[in-house]
Amino acid sequence: MTLENPAPLYILLSFLILSSLLHRPTFACKKSYVVYFGAHSHGKDVSSSDFDQVTESHYDFLGSFLGRDEAKDAIFYSYTRHINGFAATLEDEAAAVIAKHPKVVSIFLNKGRKLHTTRSWEFLELETNGVIHSSSISNKARFGEDTIIGNLDTGVWPESQSFSDEEMGPIPSKWKGICQNNVDRSFHCNRKLIGARYFSKGYSASNGSLNSTFNSPRDTDGHGSHTLSTAGGNFVPGASVFGYGNGTARGGSPRARVAAYKVCGPPVAGNECFDADILAAFDFAIHDGVDVLSVSLGGDPVAFFNDSVAIGSLHAVRHGIVVVCSAGNSGPANGTVANLAPWQITVGASTMDRQFPSYVILGNKMHLKGESLSTKALPNNKFFPIISAADAKAANASAADAILCKGGSLDPKKVNGKILLCLRGVTDRVDKGEQAALAGAVGMVLANDVLSGNEILADAHVLPASQINYTDGVAIFKYVNYSRLPIAYITRPTTQLPTKPAPFMAAFSSLGPNTITPDILKPDITAPGVSIIAAYTEAQGPTNEVFDTRRVLFNSVSGTSMSCPHVSGIAGLLKTLYPSWSPAAIRSAIMTTAQTLDNTKEPLTNAYYSPATPFNYGAGHVQPNRAMDPGLVYDLTPNDYLKFLCALGYNETQISMLSGTHYTCPKANISLSNFNYPSITVPMLNGSTTVTRTVKNVGSPGTYSVSIQNPVGISVSVSPERLMFRKVGEQKSFKVSMMVEEGNKRSDYVFGHLTWSDAKHEVRSPIVVKAV
């Protein structure tokens, strides 16, 4: 059939379409929100019907605004166990009305958060750091067999040897969790990996549905397996990355039971883990019976009641669970630290005394020490021409893109047969090597940019390659740019242990001050987070790039994601040794026994070889052996955290809903400086002030004397100067007076410390002050 005169029909159709558009009703944009009511007050004999009633009450609440049927369609999570609230898709106008309801503590967007690893974007064993040497500690306690460590992350690869249950006893009777394999029947748990769950509704609500392969706790990314095995992986002899770093892998609590809570999916605009899923995982983890929660993710700092990690961890801590969080990878700028709540242990990243050196030898006989885990090597002692990637740019590319070795920016005719010199930054480190290889390079030298300083990360590059620090990068660019025929050779990587100086702070590790509550020092502690070898998924290559078809059982990864589970493992040991200790006591033991000197007995430095400060490392680099016997601890109760919230201005109704019982804030003004934290921070010292702290004896009877290192321009005194303890559990208070020395006043933060010592123990607290 043909139309002899189609124009009138075309006009008619256009008119009909336009009419339908003009008369189509307009719909407001819907977004996913979390509505938070505080805590449940379930009794001990709670049942599934009680949880169902909670869900019905959430339908009733939202139904009073939308209608019950629409409310049931809108709610995709009902938090029924310990955290009271729900997640739902709502119009902004409806969310604004709901926020005014007196039953609502807070309502906030279901935002995305990042995993804190440097593996995928720019901006194992614990070695000696995880060995408990004391012969007085039983093997069971030494390796944390009574502890259950949960991990909020991308899940777990259950077939990894790190999660073998060989020689493990029965699953603890307190465990209430499940192995959620209703879709993925190949996923299995055992007496080591005792539980696993996945949560993806919040991710889907923001980004669209994930395919069915993600309906499993299985780790297809590698991050979750790496972090969980670092915290609690079993002993695995002969672990390595392509033969590098060969040794026995073990987690911080190698005999601990572990559980995986998958809350993250593929990155969307850099975000992988969404608030609604995170809160659901916390609710179940508390219910399941974990002792320690390791959380290697976070987002931009926001008010505590608008932050799923802060809310979830507060509920966990109120149930005696230690929550350890990563500080973030947004360094080296100040004020970038994440996970700022005082009930969390926030961990920065530093190096360890192991390197994988790969030397770059230049034609002028300079030897530059870099690092790599490359599986390919150049012919022995054969030199090749070396060229700056900026001089190898494609005709349609900029020099700025070419020097970063971005895809499509290189001219193969200029690159072929040469070693390519690339600059670190913006794009993935291993992808730069892939682009160099595609262009025909025989090798790559990756030079740090100024922001990366002297921090070097060992990557499994796809061609012979070495990453060098900023100082050496300046030297090699000078050689390449000013030599007539520059040549170079890259040596095969080796494993070097021990190395000096170590540790020093990673450039990527986020720094204080705390931007939400400046009176609380964050991070709290630093731990190994650079080139950490631990278990990995077999669903991805070691670089997580599409082009990488290699598979590894263990991988080297860097980030505060990696330092966080080091501390989680140590917390697991402490929880086994001292089951009655509060999460605050465990944090105190870890903080007050930390070291601020490297293995050359010099003060810790940052990645630029400048002195590091408590804004880098908190109380210092963790020392597990000393944390086992801290002498004194700065303790806190759940009620202290409620007082803290009062001091921040949260009202009694909100705090009562959070606590599950009626709560009245103290009538007297509460000073955040007096919060019994193991560090002392005064962000606005005008003239003078006095703060109070209380310590509890957890060691043998003894008398402690104080010593002080004054911050520059600040005079500090402590009263009394001696504390005598006659029994375990005895508490003593002391006052710390600080006064600005007007003739020596500094305009920025200054740092010192005070230490209580009985000749056996040293209980050290950083002092952070800014005079105004």
Side-chain angles (χ1 to χ4, degrees), residues 376-428:
K376 297 182 179 180
L378 295 176
N380 282 342
N381 299 317
K382 183 176 179 180
F383 283 74
F384 291 85
I386 183 170
I387 183 174
S388 168
D391 296 328
K393 75 179 189 69
N396 61 347
S398 67
D401 283 348
I403 200 169
L404 293 168
C405 294
K406 290 185 175 180
S409 68
L410 302 172
D411 185 346
K413 294 179 181 178
K414 299 174 182 177
V415 174
N416 190 52
K418 299 180 177 69
I419 293 174
L420 193 64
L421 175 57
C422 301
L423 184 67
R424 181 179 174 184
V426 183
T427 60
D428 298 354

Side-chain angles (χ1 to χ4, degrees), residues 519 636 669-677 681 689-694 734-736:
D519 305 82
L636 289 162
N669 289 334
I670 303 170
S671 170
L672 290 179
S673 296
N674 289 328
F675 189 65
N676 202 43
Y677 216 66
T681 306
T689 192
T690 298
V691 303
T692 301
R693 290 289 187 274
T694 300
F734 61 92
K735 295 184 181 297
V736 182

Side-chain angles (χ1 to χ4, degrees), residues 320-633:
I321 300 167
V322 182
V323 181
V324 186
C325 301
S326 50
N329 298 340
S330 299
N334 287 330
T336 51
V337 62
N339 293 318
L340 304 175
W343 43 85
Q344 301 164 336
I345 304 176
T346 307
V347 189
S350 38
T351 65
M352 64 166 68
D353 60 350
R354 180 185 61 194
Q355 295 176 351
F356 302 99
S358 171
Y359 287 87
V360 180
I361 304 172
L362 305 181
N364 62 3
K365 298 185 179 180
M366 286 183 66
H367 286 57
L368 308 177
K369 183 180 180 181
E371 290 193 52
S372 178
L373 292 171
S374 176
T375 56
K376 297 182 179 180
L378 295 176
N380 282 342
N381 299 317
K382 183 176 179 180
F383 283 74
F384 291 85
I386 183 170
I387 183 174
S388 168
D391 296 328
K393 75 179 189 69
N396 61 347
S398 67
D401 283 348
I403 200 169
L404 293 168
C405 294
K406 290 185 175 180
S409 68
L410 302 172
D411 185 346
K413 294 179 181 178
K414 299 174 182 177
V415 174
N416 190 52
K418 299 180 177 69
I419 293 174
L420 193 64
L421 175 57
C422 301
L423 184 67
R424 181 179 174 184
V426 183
T427 60
D428 298 354
R429 299 181 300 276
V430 291
D431 186 61
K432 296 174 190 288
E434 171 71 358
Q435 300 306 320
L438 290 173
V442 298
M444 177 187 70
V445 176
L446 179 59
N448 274 3
D449 57 5
V450 65
L451 290 179
S452 301
N454 298 295
E455 159 202 284
I456 299 177
L457 312 179
D459 293 312
H461 292 286
V462 295
L463 80 171
S466 182
Q467 181 182 333
I468 59 176
N469 66 27
Y470 173 71
T471 304
D472 288 342
V474 171
I476 195 171
F477 271 108
K478 184 177 180 180
Y479 168 74
V480 168
N481 290 333
Y482 293 99
S483 297
R484 189 169 63 90
L485 294 172
I487 57 174
Y489 173 70
I490 302 172
T491 69
R492 181 185 291 272
T494 59
T495 303
Q496 185 178 359
L497 182 75
T499 60
K500 294 182 178 182
F504 64 83
M505 296 304 303
F508 61 75
S509 187
S510 293
L511 281 72
N514 184 328
T515 54
I516 299 297
T517 51
D519 305 82
I520 303 297
L521 176 64
K522 291 288 178 175
D524 295 306
I525 197 77
T526 186
V530 177
S531 301
I532 305 301
I533 296 176
Y536 215 61
T537 181
E538 293 181 55
Q540 290 276 357
T543 64
N544 283 78
E545 298 287 355
V546 175
F547 55 76
D548 193 352
T549 59
R550 300 171 297 175
R551 295 294 183 265
V552 293
L553 301 179
F554 291 82
N555 198 16
S556 172
V557 190
S558 300
T560 55
S561 279
M562 286 63 245
S563 57
C564 167
H566 278 75
V567 174
S568 303
I570 295 164
L573 295 178
L574 288 167
K575 192 76 173 179
T576 303
L577 283 170
Y578 309 109
S580 65
W581 280 15
S582 70
I586 289 174
R587 175 181 53 223
S588 178
I590 290 170
M591 289 178 65
T592 60
T593 57
Q595 62 181 355
T596 57
L597 300 178
D598 63 25
N599 57 5
T600 68
K601 304 302 180 184
E602 293 295 323
L604 292 176
T605 64
N606 60 25
Y608 314 100
Y609 296 147
S610 299
T613 75
F615 284 160
N616 297 99
Y617 54 66
H621 190 87
V622 67
Q623 295 193 97
N625 296 325
R626 290 191 58 205
M628 300 300 120
D629 183 21
L632 306 176
V633 295

Side-chain angles (χ1 to χ4, degrees), residues 683-699:
M684 297 181 67
L685 178 57
N686 186 1
S688 64
T689 192
T690 298
V691 303
T692 301
R693 290 289 187 274
T694 300
V695 285
K696 178 192 292 186
N697 181 35
V698 293

